[in-house]
Amino acid sequence: MDAQISRLHHPVSVLGPGRRAGIWFQGCGIRCPGCVSVDTWRPDPGSTVSVAAVLDWLRSLAGSEVDGVTISGGEPTDQPDALAELMRGLAGWRAERPSGLREPDVLVYTGREPDWVRGDGARLLAGADAVVAGPYDAARAGTAALRGSDNQELITLTPLGARRYADADRLPRAAVQVEVSDGAVWMIGIPLPGDLAAVRQAVTDRGVHLRGPSWQT
């Protein structure tokens, strides 16, 4: 089974508790105005990799440094077969981890409505411990740690999810995580209104010119 994947990254420290592995799907049919990840909207056959390769990458990470997996995009549910295969693979990965390591959780971001997550999408998202659901609404951008806007809902699906995310909305939003790789600057996290303009101004002041920042393409 293949999937279009925008990028894989570890460690991610701003999209869930602990040091996490991040998996971003490529392609999104929801396309919320104000989305920070416009570069992940368009399907790209050139980003195709096997789900098995994604799982191999996850297994290559030091087990003690993976507290969870965050799946985002793009819109993961736009590739339902690949997402279902990934979820099954994650269940196997969790089962094979040595005892004594912290149990990793799986957090999924989707622009689908919360009612869909609880209804038609429940089988597809089986295996997730928590889901942040709902389209991003720039007019309702808030300060919750893991929700981009106040209309979105953090839904816990398992006892582990309930334990890990029970107090998530009481936590302050972390600063975006900035990574530099192959001449690109990646921002991971949920920026507040004005954050992206501030980042662009900061790098411009340091003589760095951004060509085609993702949130404007």
Side-chain angles (χ1 to χ4, degrees), residues 183 185 200 203-213:
V185 179
R200 184 170 190 175
V203 298
T204 299
D205 290 346
R206 289 165 174 76
V208 178
H209 177 63
L210 297 180
R211 294 179 296 178

Side-chain angles (χ1 to χ4, degrees), residues 154-179:
L154 199 166
I155 303 168
T156 58
L157 302 176
T158 66
L160 175 61
R163 293 195 302 272
R164 292 274 167 88
Y165 295 94
D167 297 325
D169 277 351
R170 302 176 189 173
L171 301 174
R173 183 175 295 183
V176 293
Q177 181 179 341
V178 178
E179 303 288 342

Side-chain angles (χ1 to χ4, degrees), residues 55-89:
L55 293 168
D56 285 344
W57 167 78
L58 187 59
R59 291 187 178 97
S60 74
L61 304 175
S64 60
E65 296 184 358
V66 182
D67 297 310
V69 177
T70 297
I71 301 171
S72 188
E75 175 50 51
T77 67
D78 278 2
Q79 300 181 60
D81 293 340
L83 179 58
E85 182 73 11
L86 177 61
M87 291 302 227
R88 287 190 291 270

